[in-house]
Amino acid sequence: MGGARSLALLLLAALLAAAGPVPDPPASPRTRAARASWEVSPSPPGVESVGVPLDALEGALDTPDALDAALGAEEAPAWRELWYASLEARRRQPVLNASREDVLAQLGSTAFLHCPVRHLGERGISWVRRRDWHIISSGLFMYTNDERFQVLHSEGSDDWTLQIKFVQKRDNGTYECQVSTAQGPLSRLVALHVLVPEAFILGADEHHVDAGSTISLVCIIEKSPVPPQYVFWYHNERMINYDASRGVAVATAPGARTQSSLTIRDAAPRHSGNYSCRAPNTEPAAIYVYVSEGSDKMAATLSRSRGARLRVAAGTALLPLLAALGGCP
């Protein structure tokens, strides 16, 4: 206790020394004898010593009124302001908006999770992922190797924002920002909802067309808060949007349900294969297209029919022979 009081006396002496001596007015009631009764308190290195009555300082440490009486009217107002500011800072407790917040972020975009805290003082805030109770950050220091995570905080701001770049489906879930106080921890929950747009192609999983006809496919993209900037069509992993010279045409109408159509004129067997439509940060869709030659298909049908007739005729011719053989002893 005595060591703490002595340290406080030293700090107070340093403050008074830094402020500089205040000359007494001509009619000051202080006398040389009174001045001589003052003891000189030690000052930190580099600070000129200043005469301070130690008994008065000890009283001032207990109440501001006692300090006023010790220092006089000249020094009292500045000290009183500093005193009450210090007390007010100590009394203040962090104020955290504990209401739950929902944040929507599209797959691949950047999510911002906010944690506004007033009167934080020297305390720090922590971000925790509730799914596995992993501590992501403490203050501005990160406890994760995932470089997509970062805490944003500007000087003088009350907001401590958790930024997640290139949001993935695994980032979906609840995050908690915490502040420790003397009365216990304060917390705020932020639920991150990762939206994954989906694409699907109208029709069945397979599409059959005859050679020489037109291939027409329509792709719909939904559950996207922002229309995709582009939609690409692929044939067997080869992008064909700009194959106009090969009879390929693509038209896209962005909107709440983006629609993209693929048209291929004068289809040939080489156009058979897997077709897929893809947009950024969207689950792709695919369909398999079969292109059949009309004459070949008819020839195969005739061949199968002719073979069936021959088998019937052969069976009919063998019946008498089989009957004769069956009648032998």
Side-chain angles (χ1 to χ4, degrees):
M1 185 68 179
R5 184 178 293 275
S6 299
L7 180 58
L9 291 174
L10 290 177
L11 293 176
L12 181 57
L15 287 174
L16 293 175
V22 179
D24 291 335
S28 172
R30 299 175 182 172
T31 62
R32 184 169 301 184
R35 292 177 184 272
S37 66
W38 286 30
E39 297 177 321
V40 177
S41 63
S43 300
V47 178
E48 183 180 355
S49 298
V50 60
V52 180
L54 296 182
D55 294 339
L57 287 178
E58 290 181 357
L61 290 174
D62 297 328
T63 63
D65 294 335
L67 182 65
D68 289 352
L71 296 180
E74 297 88 351
E75 295 89 347
W79 172 253
R80 181 178 288 274
E81 182 179 351
L82 180 61
W83 176 277
Y84 283 114
S86 177
L87 290 180
E88 181 64 21
R90 290 186 178 182
R91 290 194 194 101
R92 286 182 179 176
Q93 293 296 323
V95 179
L96 174 63
N97 182 359
S99 61
R100 181 186 177 95
E101 182 182 6
D102 293 285
V103 175
L104 302 179
Q106 184 173 334
L107 182 70
S109 65
T110 300
F112 297 93
L113 282 59
H114 298 279
C115 181
V117 185
R118 293 187 294 115
H119 311 318
L120 185 61
E122 298 300 324
R123 303 172 184 85
I125 71 105
S126 300
W127 277 101
V128 179
R129 185 170 56 209
R130 293 287 294 270
R131 170 167 51 86
D132 53 4
W133 293 104
H134 176 75
I135 299 176
I136 298 175
S137 67
S138 178
L140 295 176
F141 186 81
M142 306 304 297
Y143 287 94
T144 176
N145 294 327
D146 194 336
E147 297 182 353
R148 299 180 303 119
F149 289 81
Q150 183 180 1
V151 173
L152 306 179
H153 175 71
S154 58
E155 188 68 26
S157 172
D158 292 334
D159 194 8
W160 296 75
T161 304
L162 179 63
Q163 174 185 267
I164 308 176
K165 296 181 179 179
F166 309 111
V167 171
Q168 305 297 317
K169 287 191 287 186
R170 67 177 184 270
D171 299 324
N172 193 83
T174 302
Y175 296 78
E176 178 179 354
C177 101
Q178 299 177 346
V179 180
S180 297
T181 69
Q183 289 74 29
L186 303 176
S187 65
R188 167 184 171 87
L189 300 180
V190 181
L192 175 61
H193 304 276
V194 180
L195 303 179
V196 183
E198 298 177 357
F200 62 92
I201 298 176
L202 298 180
D205 295 336
E206 296 180 355
H207 186 60
H208 295 264
V209 296
D210 292 332
S213 61
T214 299
I215 299 174
S216 182
L217 303 175
V218 177
C219 178
I220 304 295
I221 298 174
E222 58 182 11
K223 299 181 181 179
S224 177
V226 179
Q229 297 179 352
Y230 55 84
V231 177
F232 285 153
W233 283 90
Y234 289 80
H235 176 220
N236 295 331
E237 301 304 321
R238 177 179 176 275
M239 200 262 287
I240 58 174
N241 280 53
Y242 306 104
D243 288 356
S245 60
R246 301 184 182 184
V248 177
V250 174
T252 301
R257 296 178 81 246
T258 298
Q259 177 174 310
S260 181
S261 61
L262 170 70
T263 304
I264 301 177
R265 300 186 307 273
D266 194 16
R270 69 176 185 276
H271 292 127
S272 297
N274 184 74
Y275 287 81
S276 60
C277 72
R278 307 177 189 178
N281 303 319
T282 302
E283 292 288 347
I287 189 173
Y288 204 94
V289 175
Y290 294 90
V291 180
S292 303
E293 287 284 1
S295 57
D296 293 345
K297 183 166 60 176
M298 183 176 295
T301 302
L302 291 174
S303 176
R304 289 194 297 270
S305 177
R306 186 180 299 111
R309 290 197 299 270
L310 289 175
R311 287 194 295 273
V312 170
T316 304
L318 291 174
L319 284 177
L321 179 60
L322 291 174
L325 291 176
C328 295

